């Protein structure tokens, strides 16, 4: 922890009494009060998250879109200005190097947001893959702070701090869209994105502005039930929402298809004359799409009280001689649903909804049942 990077909001976290943890080379808040209270506040009202450990890579140039099309599995040329897209960086063999959100800020300007643990991998791969394209990359990770307001009253809180001339643009933002706006007197990139399954906003600001924005959001949100929330609540929220986490559901042994995310792979992207566009990993991903899967990502609900955790074996049944048929990737008690949930990779023949399986929880075989993902879907 001594060598961890400190968030520009570190002093705010200390002042709030946060329990800090080392995460992906950063010292970040794990919780401020209790995991349960912070989780429930996001589902009922709003939570304020410091996501400054995420990586921000600016990509500019006349061929920025074409360069990203070659480097990533998505079709970024087709992305409209002001919109965002979930996509992935894969290796030649189709395995996932990171999952990303890409924002198009102008015709020749993109912002690539990478997981904290993979910023160097993404940056180096993009620089290498941009060779031959008129495209430039600038790593703005340490100069940028990212703050998220997530929950049913997020719009009310953020719009209440937005300059009058920008208020309609912010409240009118569609999901996976962004706009430049003044919030709490500060210039910010405001995006309607998030990782909790709730409505919400993510605000990118210069690192020096982060404390002012954080305090303004806390003050404005408190009367509406907003609380600061740490990494622990963020993980249980994203699990309920069935969202993958790199290092759990996604890694170098997995292609997007195993994770149920084959839709992000655009094998059909083409140049204006219809010529198929090559991209890194294309051949392997096309072959993978055409072949039966060796494993499938599923949801599991527990019929017992003990929660499965990352790395636990999934078994064909509760009998002592039942074979191992998969592995849990994420698991925890669900505060919203009131029972334990998990995501796991299992063999395809045992992936149908309703299939009865078991999980080895520290030597005890807990019965579980396969269900569709996500576990939680907010009312609209």
């Amino acid at each position: 922890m001594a060598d961890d990077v400190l968030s520009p909001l570190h002093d705010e976290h200390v002042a709030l009494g946060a329990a800090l943890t080392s995460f992906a080379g950063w010292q970040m808040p794990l919780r401020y009060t209790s995991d349960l209270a912070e989780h429930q506040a996001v589902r009922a009202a709003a939570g304020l998250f410091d996501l400054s450990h995420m990586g921000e890579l600016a990509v500019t140039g006349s061929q920025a879109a074409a360069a990203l099309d070659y480097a990533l599995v998505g079709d970024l040329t087709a992305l409209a200005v002001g919109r965002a897209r979930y996509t992935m960086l894969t290796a030649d063999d189709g395995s996932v190097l990171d999952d990303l959100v890409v924002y198009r800020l102008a015709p020749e300007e993109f912002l690539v947001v990478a997981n904290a643990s993979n910023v160097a991998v993404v940056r180096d791969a993009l620089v290498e893959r941009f060779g031959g394209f008129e495209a430039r990359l600038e790593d703005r990770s340490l100069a940028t702070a990212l703050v998220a307001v997530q929950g049913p009253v997020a719009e009310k809180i953020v719009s209440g701090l937005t300059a009058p001339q920008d208020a309609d643009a912010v409240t009118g933002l569609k999901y996976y869209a962004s706009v430049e706006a003044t919030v709490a007197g500060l210039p910010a990139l405001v995006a309607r994105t998030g990782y909790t399954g709730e409505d919400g906003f993510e605000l990118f600001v210069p690192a020096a502005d982060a404390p002012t924005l954080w305090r303004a959001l806390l003050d404005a949100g408190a009367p509406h039930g907003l609380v600061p929330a740490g990494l622990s609540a963020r993980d249980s929220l994203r699990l309920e929402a069935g969202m993958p986490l790199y290092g759990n559901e996604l890694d170098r042994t997995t292609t997007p298809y195993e994770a149920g995310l084959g839709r992000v792979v655009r094998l059909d992207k083409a140049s204006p004359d219809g010529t198929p566009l090559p991209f890194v990993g294309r051949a392997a991903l096309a072959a993978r799409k055409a072949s039966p899967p060796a494993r499938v990502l599923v949801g599991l609900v527990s019929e017992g009280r003990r929660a499965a955790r990352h790395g636990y074996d999934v078994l064909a049944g509760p009998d002592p001689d039942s074979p191992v048929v998969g592995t849990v990737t994420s698991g925890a008690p669900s505060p919203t649903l009131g029972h334990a949930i998990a995501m796991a990779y299992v063999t395809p023949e045992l992936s149908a909804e309703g299939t009865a399986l078991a999980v080895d929880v520290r030597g005890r075989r807990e019965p579980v049942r396969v269900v569709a993902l996500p576990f939680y879907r907010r009312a609209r």
Side-chain angles (χ1 to χ4, degrees):
M1 182 177 286
D3 296 328
D4 283 345
V5 178
L6 299 183
S7 162
L9 293 166
H10 179 77
D11 290 347
E12 306 300 316
H13 303 321
V14 172
L16 289 167
L20 300 171
T21 188
S22 182
F23 182 78
W26 288 69
Q27 196 172 144
M28 299 299 294
L30 184 62
R31 67 181 66 83
Y32 300 84
T33 55
S34 80
D35 299 343
L36 180 62
E38 292 167 19
H39 182 113
Q40 291 176 330
V42 175
R43 290 281 182 249
L48 181 62
F49 297 86
D50 177 12
L51 308 181
S52 298
H53 56 297
M54 303 290 284
E56 290 86 13
L57 307 171
V59 178
T60 56
S62 63
Q63 292 185 302
L68 289 169
D69 277 345
Y70 175 71
L72 307 176
V73 301
D75 185 354
L76 285 309
T77 295
L79 184 63
V81 172
R83 300 307 301 263
R85 180 160 295 168
Y86 177 76
T87 187
M88 294 186 188
L89 176 81
T90 62
D92 283 327
D93 64 0
S95 63
V96 181
L97 297 173
D98 200 16
D99 60 332
L100 312 161
V101 175
V102 178
Y103 300 85
R104 191 166 199 170
L105 308 180
E108 298 180 0
E109 181 181 2
F110 294 81
L111 179 66
V112 178
V113 178
N115 284 296
S117 59
N118 290 330
V119 174
V121 171
V122 175
R123 181 188 61 224
D124 294 348
L126 291 182
V127 169
E128 180 182 354
R129 295 177 189 190
F130 287 176
F133 291 95
E134 201 297 294
R136 300 174 295 280
L137 183 145
E138 180 187 357
D139 187 347
R140 298 177 179 169
S141 301
L142 295 179
T144 304
L146 175 56
V147 173
V149 183
Q150 297 281 300
V153 299
E155 181 183 296
K156 183 178 295 184
I157 295 166
V158 174
S159 64
L161 290 172
T162 302
Q165 68 272 18
D166 297 328
D168 288 346
V170 169
T171 57
L173 268 182
K174 297 183 181 300
Y175 189 51
Y176 263 65
S178 68
V179 66
E180 300 279 354
T182 298
V183 181
L186 304 167
L189 176 66
V190 181
R192 200 155 205 162
T193 48
Y195 196 52
T196 63
E198 296 295 339
D199 186 21
F201 297 84
E202 295 182 319
L203 296 92
F204 299 84
V205 295
D209 290 342
T212 300
L213 177 65
W214 177 268
R215 292 172 201 153
L217 289 167
L218 271 183
D219 290 344
H224 300 290
L226 175 141
V227 301
L231 292 174
S232 184
R234 188 168 184 253
D235 192 53
S236 57
L237 290 158
R238 72 91 196 166
L239 174 58
E240 287 185 345
M243 295 181 176
L245 175 66
Y246 196 88
N248 289 42
E249 286 73 39
L250 300 171
D251 59 23
R252 287 295 307 272
T253 71
T254 310
T255 76
Y257 293 104
E258 280 83 18
L261 296 168
R263 64 184 182 278
V264 308
V265 180
R266 295 301 304 270
L267 296 171
D268 60 344
K269 55 185 172 182
S271 61
D273 65 2
T275 304
L277 286 176
F279 62 89
V280 178
R282 189 186 191 288
L285 289 166
R288 169 61 192 81
K289 183 182 180 183
S291 62
R295 54 184 184 146
V296 176
L297 185 67
V298 298
L300 300 176
V301 294
S302 177
E303 298 175 8
R305 299 183 62 183
R306 295 175 176 81
R309 301 290 184 177
H310 174 77
Y312 287 8
D313 287 339
V314 181
L315 311 163
D319 298 335
D321 59 349
S322 293
V324 174
V325 296
T327 305
V328 173
T329 52
S330 300
S334 166
T336 304
L337 303 176
H339 55 250
I341 58 174
M343 289 195 281
Y345 281 109
V346 300
T347 52
E349 63 272 19
L350 296 173
S351 63
E353 287 182 46
T355 302
L357 300 172
V359 174
D360 186 339
V361 181
R362 299 188 299 277
R364 294 176 64 95
R365 296 182 175 228
E366 292 288 335
V368 296
R369 176 170 46 86
V370 176
V371 299
L373 293 169
F375 301 101
Y376 167 84
R377 195 185 300 274
R378 70 183 172 92
R380 296 176 185 270

